[in-house]
Amino acid sequence: MNLYEGIYERQSIRRYRMEGIDTKIINNILKYASQLESLSGNCRTGFRILAWQNIKKHRMGVFSVKAPYYLVLFCDSTEEAMLNAGYLLGQLDLYMVSRGLGTCFFHGAKKLCAGENGMSPMMALAFGKAEPLYGRSIRRTRRLPFSELCIVKEEIGKEEKAMLEAARLAPSSFNSQPWRFVAYDGRIHLFCKREGWAFSGRQGLHYLNMGIVLAYLFVAAEEFWYSPEAVRVENILEKQLKRNEYVVTVRFK
Ligand SMILES: Cc1cc2nc3c(=O)[nH]c(=O)nc-3n(C[C@H](O)[C@H](O)[C@H](O)COP(=O)(O)O)c2cc1C
């Protein structure tokens, strides 16, 4: 299975076999993480894998997920760094899925460990072997329909549509799916819905979500042999939008 196929396979796994994984697999995950390219040169990141034995379980919080391992991503606390964190973790999650592992994003990374090199533990991915019957017995979490998420300003090709369809399936905190897409002139403009709690005190999660959907767009674009790049378009940035916040534009080379 490759990363693109992983998009159609994955779902959050919250019940794991509490057993170890081959060290080779753990090392491959860290190697894959270290080779990922950041969205911009300004973003520092670090990764660490923690085993269940090394975690202070009593501090994990309400939305905790019990898993044999957690991959923790460290970064600065800026919007740009969090967008990048989501972008990297979105790919790492699909990498693990493509290797047959179960995963679940966990936003309580700060409860798992302290920061390092002046960076905060921003987000974690719980992972391990899924309980065999569990994965098959749970129903997939629904997503909003294409028509609610995408504005298509002109006829788009099959491949661009497939990229948007893949992005529609991206996971988000509380399944909030804050993304909105405008496909126009061979580019996809990405917006974030400005709504209620999403903008009050949860901005961090919000940028992580947008980073994840960006990763999905990139993975799908690469599946069709495009070279995507993320840019900020000045005249959209200047627009005052009531309901949405402009995040980034994906164009293809
Ligand atoms: C940024 C982010 C943070 C998340 N945090 C948690 C969490 O702390 N605990 C949890 O059980 N699930 C968490 N999730 C998983 C979401 O609830 C899940 O992805 C969403 O409901 C969609 O379900 P699916 O992944 O099965 O498609 C998080 C997901 C994202 C993207």
Side-chain angles (χ1 to χ4, degrees):
M1 192 194 308
N2 68 16
L3 268 61
Y4 179 69
E5 289 159 342
I7 291 177
Y8 288 86
E9 279 299 311
R10 76 158 294 289
Q11 64 194 112
S12 294
I13 299 294
R14 294 188 176 86
R15 279 176 41 199
Y16 293 89
R17 296 214 305 244
M18 293 307 283
E19 59 186 48
I21 294 175
D22 197 334
T23 353
K24 213 168 122 195
I25 297 174
I26 301 280
N27 288 339
N28 283 344
I29 293 171
L30 286 170
K31 189 168 162 208
Y32 180 80
S34 70
Q35 288 170 351
L36 284 172
E37 264 183 50
S38 284
L39 282 172
S40 88
N42 304 333
C43 297
R44 304 189 297 154
T45 43
F47 297 96
R48 196 198 295 172
I49 290 181
L50 300 172
W52 173 251
Q53 300 84 275
N54 307 328
I55 292 182
K56 294 187 180 123
K57 287 103 183 161
H58 60 280
R59 296 185 57 213
M60 282 184 71
V62 223
F63 298 108
S64 65
V65 184
K66 183 180 177 186
Y69 298 97
Y70 300 83
L71 179 138
V72 180
L73 182 146
F74 301 85
C75 68
D76 295 309
S77 306
T78 63
E79 291 169 4
E80 189 187 15
M82 284 187 267
L83 184 74
N84 186 56
Y87 171 72
L88 299 180
L89 278 180
Q91 295 171 77
L92 262 161
D93 176 52
L94 291 174
Y95 174 80
M96 291 189 199
V97 171
S98 74
R99 294 296 172 272
L101 295 169
T103 63
C104 186
F105 286 92
F106 174 49
H107 69 262
K110 290 190 177 75
K111 297 191 169 127
L112 298 178
C113 60
E116 61 179 41
N117 301 328
M119 297 184 282
S120 307
M122 194 51 70
M123 185 73 192
L125 256 178
F127 71 95
K129 289 180 193 156
E131 274 289 356
L133 287 175
Y134 173 69
R136 265 175 278 146
S137 64
I138 52 172
R139 226 193 291 148
R140 280 176 192 274
T141 314
R142 286 184 171 215
R143 298 292 192 261
L144 292 169
F146 190 86
S147 56
E148 219 169 293
L149 298 175
C150 309
I151 295 174
V152 178
K153 292 269 186 194
E154 57 190 14
E155 195 60 30
I156 56 169
K158 242 192 192 163
E159 292 174 343
E160 209 175 336
K161 194 149 189 208
M163 290 177 211
L164 288 165
E165 189 51 46
R168 188 179 77 83
L169 300 178
S172 50
S173 49
F174 306 101
N175 202 29
S176 53
Q177 305 164 73
W179 36 74
R180 298 294 179 265
F181 312 100
V182 178
Y184 179 60
D185 199 18
R187 297 183 294 178
I188 297 172
H189 305 289
L190 216 69
F191 295 83
C192 185
K193 204 164 178 231
R194 207 191 284 275
E195 203 178 48
W197 56 264
F199 265 77
S200 55
R202 295 203 193 222
Q203 277 97 331
L205 277 181
H206 202 57
Y207 284 99
L208 287 163
N209 288 327
M210 296 311 292
I212 295 171
V213 81
L214 193 59
Y216 274 51
L217 274 174
F218 271 53
V219 165
E222 278 158 10
E223 177 73 11
F224 301 113
W225 300 101
Y226 288 99
S227 301
E229 77 180 336
V231 291
R232 298 266 273 173
V233 177
E234 282 308 319
N235 60 353
I236 305 183
L237 263 175
E238 282 160 16
K239 281 195 174 115
Q240 295 294 323
L241 302 166
K242 216 169 165 191
R243 298 233 179 122
N244 299 301
E245 183 186 299
Y246 171 63
V247 179
V248 82
T249 294
V250 180
R251 64 181 186 202
F252 309 97
K253 286 183 277 175

